[in-house]
Every structure is written in C-alpha cells, then in structure tokens.
Amino acid sequence: MTTSTTSESSASVHLLDLQALVVAVRRRRRLWCSLALVGLLIGAAVAVLRPPAPAAATKVLVAHQADQPNDTGTLIRTDVELLRTTRIADKALQSLKSPERPEDFMKDYRVTGLTNNVLQIDVTGDSDAQAVARAKALADAFVADHVRRMKASAQAEAKALSDQGDRMRHELAGVNKEIGDRSPDSDPKASASIESLFARRAELNSRIADFDQRAEEARMGTPQIVAGTQIVDAPRAVRHSLPRSAATNAAIGLVLGLVLGLAVAAVGTVVADRPVLRRDIAANLGASVVAELRGVRRRRVRLWQRRRTRAARERLTATLARTVRGSAEPLSLLELGCADSASVIALDLARAMAADGPVVVVDGLPGLRRAQRGQKPGGPEVVGVEGVAAVPREVRRLGVGSVAPGTAWTGLPDLGTQTVLVVRAGHASAAWLHTVARQLADLLIPVIGVVLIDPDQRDRTDGTLWDGLDTALRGHNERLAREKVTGRRSTERPSWAVRVPESDQEAR
C-alpha cells in the first residue's frame, strides 16, 4: 500500500510547479522591488552624472543619376556606407585642420538614411560649436565627393559615347569614299552593291546622331545632380533636456532592475526549493495544516489585521486546548523559523489550559523565559528542560522547542510525546522538512497538526491530508479513544513514518 501510494505521488510530481513558483516569487517582492528601485535610481543618476556629449545634426539631400520611383533604398544605403569611410572622414578633418585620426573621428558620428534621397548626420564633439563645425565639414565633404563622383561618371559615359561616335564617323568616311569611287555607268550587278552602301551610310548617320545626343544628355545630367545634392537642413546643435533624459534612463533602469529581480527571485526559488503552499508543506511533513497565523510583527499593523490575527489565535488556542484536554500525553510545540510565534502560541495555550489545572511550560527555546517576564502575574510557570524531572506527574506539561538545523533530536521526547509543528512558510527547504518528518517518526512522536505562519494570502491549495487521518486532530482523538477502550497503546509506526535509507551503504 505504501509503495503504490509513493509511486503514484512520484508520478504526479511535475518538474516545475508554476503555481508554487509564482507564489514564491510574489513572496520575495522585497527583493525584486528593491532591485527595480535600485535600477531606477542608477538610471536617473547616470543621466545626471554623465550627461550626453554635445551633439549636432544636419540633413543632406542626395540626387542620384539612377533614381527610380521603385528604388528599395539601395542607393541611399550606399551613400550611408560611403560616409562611414576614412576617405570622407579624412577630407572633413582636413577642412577642420584637425590632427585627429579618421578612425577615431568615425566613432563620433552616425549616419542615418531617412528616405531614398535624404541623409541625416549626427556628430558629437567637445562643445556645441565643435559639433556643428564637424557636422558641416562632414556634409560638405560628402557633397563634394558625391558631385565629383557623379561628374566623373558622366564624363566617362560622355567620352565613351563620343569615342563610339568617332568610330562611326571614321567608318562613314570609308563608306562615302567607296561610294565616290563607283562609276554611275556601271553594270546592273554593281547597282545592288551601291544601294547597300547607301543604306549603310544612312544607318551610320543615324547612329552617329544617336551617340551625339546621348553624349549631350550625359553631359546635361551632371548639372542637375550637382544642383540637387545639397545641405537642406543646416547643422545645428541638438538640445538635451535633463528631466526628459533622467526620466527615460530611470524608466529603462526600472524595467531592467525589475526583470533582473524577477529572474533572480525565480532562479533562487527553484534552486532553494522552499515550499510555500499549504499543499506542499503538508505533503513534505506528512501532517495536515490545522491553522494559519500571521507572524509576530515588530512594526505596527493595521487595526483590522490585528483583529483578524487575534481571532485566528483564539481559534487555534481553543482547538489545541480541546485536543490536549482529551489526551493524557504531554504536548509540545516545535517551531521552524518562527520562535516568537511559537512562544506566543505556547503562552496562550498554557493560559487556556490553566483553567483545568496547573500547567508548566517546558522551555526548549532561548528567550521564552525572558518573554515571560513581561507578562502579568499569575501566568503559567516556565521551566527549563533541565527542570522537567522536578515537575510532578499530576501537573500538565507543555513543551516548546525547535526543529531548526542543529536540533538535538534526542531531547525532543522530553518536551512531549506528541507535537504540533509551527512552521514559517517558505523558510525551510523540502529536504529539511523531510528530515524533520523522518526524525520525529524515528522518535515515535506523532505530528497531530501543522500551524502555518505567514502563509500566502492568495494560496487556495488544500493543506489537509485526507489519506492520513491518524495524524490529523480528529483522527488523533479517535485513536486515543480506541486506545482507552482497548486499554493498550499502539507502538506500531504509521506507514508514513518508515525511514528511507539515505545511501546504499545505509540500506545494506
């Protein structure tokens, strides 16, 4: 039965529980909120302490010889890359008479193609005047280089057309000479040859006229490109708004800090494996969650929160008192990450049990007797673990101890033979919760319930183990009633208390 239950539960375990992850990340909101705030402050501080360098901008209209309406931006991208060359940078530096290297100067400006024919040049400098001068020098150098390249291209095309026309004229001269050498009184067979020569002369004249026209058009296109390539927006200093820059940097820092905080919280949650849901804590401890309380706060809380906390404490005290009254075995409260809350619960329970007879609180926590000094006279008596032997048998004992790392497990039976665990949500890892459940099972100390401290307010999981009623309050009372009827106490360990070997050597 135990094996099948374990295999079914193991098969239903997911690799990553998103609900538990979300709850754990939400509980660590102080971390990611702090990182988001730090990012916001760093972003604002960077904007104030490191303002942007003085900058200038200018726009250049570029005319291309091969402009087409359906151009996809290839020509303007070519111009952008040409502006990023050392040739243009060197010409700009020469006009500025600056000894700076072109490679270093190229790092100080950025070129953007706004449309197919408009370039924007952004330049930084040591001052606004220097940035404006740099922008103007770059724009002038690019315009001069572009015009020179277009003129060279047009001249090369016109020369090629002119050379072709000259070749046609030379051929035409040969045809004219051949026609002049023919006699008009030639035989009929030669008339066909003369007609072909006249046709060839007409074709050459047409081609020569075409080449001359194309060469003239090539020469006429250059002035349009020269006039069309110009600076349309004069270089001007770019004004930076400190409040706007600080707000922008702060917003970016806030987002980055928030993302980093959420990532750190999520990774830390997965690595630490600290259960926060009622369902997971009950499953790891093998006992049902019987109550939930807020932790003892040192800061002031709201009035309605105080009332709800007080009402929950009263309900828990009444439930535990009813359980203790129906059992002759001493009860202990063992805390895990919430010593102050366990002390308050123990003192409340001791006062409620004092109406039925004398009660002694066995203090296994450092500080409980110090907390008792501030109470009103007539409260429960608090003794240390070393004074347990002097307590009479007819006096009820209520032990308070800890199951935190470093606990002396052999001393827990002196505090009580049954226990209620007071556990802070998200404090201990799943491995340590397993260790606590195993050690208590080895000591034959049944866990009759778990009091969860500081649970998640949006947790809707079920913390009741319906297949383990022998460890719940109602099932525990029924077990005691059966023991009273039979007159003997069962010493058999429950199925969930079987110890699992930690290694192969221990198993052997």
Side-chain angles (χ1 to χ4, degrees), residues 299-364:
R299 57 182 177 86
R300 301 176 63 181
V301 296
R302 298 179 179 88
L303 180 60
W304 61 86
Q305 292 179 346
R306 225 180 307 169
R307 291 177 179 175
R308 280 186 290 182
T309 302
R310 188 183 304 113
R313 284 172 52 186
E314 291 175 355
R315 288 194 301 268
L316 174 62
T317 301
T319 302
L320 295 180
R322 184 171 60 251
T323 302
V324 173
R325 291 189 184 101
S327 173
E329 300 178 2
L331 177 70
S332 65
L333 299 176
L334 301 180
E335 65 85 22
L336 184 57
C338 48
D340 295 338
S341 299
S343 302
V344 172
I345 295 173
L347 295 176
D348 291 343
L349 180 58
R351 296 189 195 94
M353 294 167 53
D356 300 334
V359 179
V360 173
V361 179
V362 180
D363 180 16

Side-chain angles (χ1 to χ4, degrees), residues 464-508:
T464 302
L465 299 181
W466 299 101
D467 57 347
L469 293 180
D470 57 328
T471 62
L473 291 179
R474 179 168 61 86
H476 180 69
N477 290 334
E478 292 175 356
R479 180 175 61 85
L480 292 177
R482 289 195 300 268
E483 291 176 1
K484 290 181 180 179
V485 173
T486 56
R488 59 185 180 88
R489 177 179 175 181
S490 175
T491 59
E492 182 182 357
R493 294 185 183 180
S495 59
W496 56 266
V498 178
R499 179 172 179 176
V500 180
E502 294 182 343
S503 63
D504 295 341
Q505 182 179 0
E506 185 178 356
R508 289 193 296 268

Side-chain angles (χ1 to χ4, degrees), residues 4 28 34 43 50 71 96 123 125 157 170 195 200 232 295 311 314 368 447 451:
S4 62
R28 302 184 69 180
S34 300
R50 298 191 62 184
D71 182 33
L96 293 172
V123 189
E157 184 179 0
H170 181 71
E195 289 181 0
R200 178 61 178 167
V232 294
E314 291 175 355
L368 181 59
V447 181
V451 178

Side-chain angles (χ1 to χ4, degrees), residues 64-146:
H64 302 100
Q65 189 173 3
D67 269 337
Q68 297 292 334
N70 58 351
D71 182 33
T72 58
T74 305
L75 297 176
I76 201 68
R77 286 197 296 270
T78 302
D79 295 332
V80 169
E81 294 303 324
L82 285 174
L83 256 167
R84 294 173 180 169
T85 58
T86 55
R87 184 178 66 179
I88 303 297
D90 184 59
K91 290 181 179 179
L93 290 174
Q94 289 178 4
S95 64
L96 293 172
K97 298 180 180 179
S98 173
E100 187 177 2
R101 297 175 54 198
E103 293 80 4
D104 298 334
F105 180 47
M106 290 170 58
K107 300 177 183 179
D108 295 337
Y109 66 87
R110 184 179 69 255
V111 186
T112 307
L114 301 180
T115 65
N116 288 345
N117 296 95
V118 178
L119 286 175
Q120 178 173 335
I121 305 174
D122 299 293
V123 189
T124 59
D126 296 335
S127 62
D128 290 341
Q130 184 185 21
V132 171
R134 285 183 162 192
K136 187 176 185 307
L138 271 174
D140 292 339
F142 173 75
V143 170
D145 182 78
H146 182 76

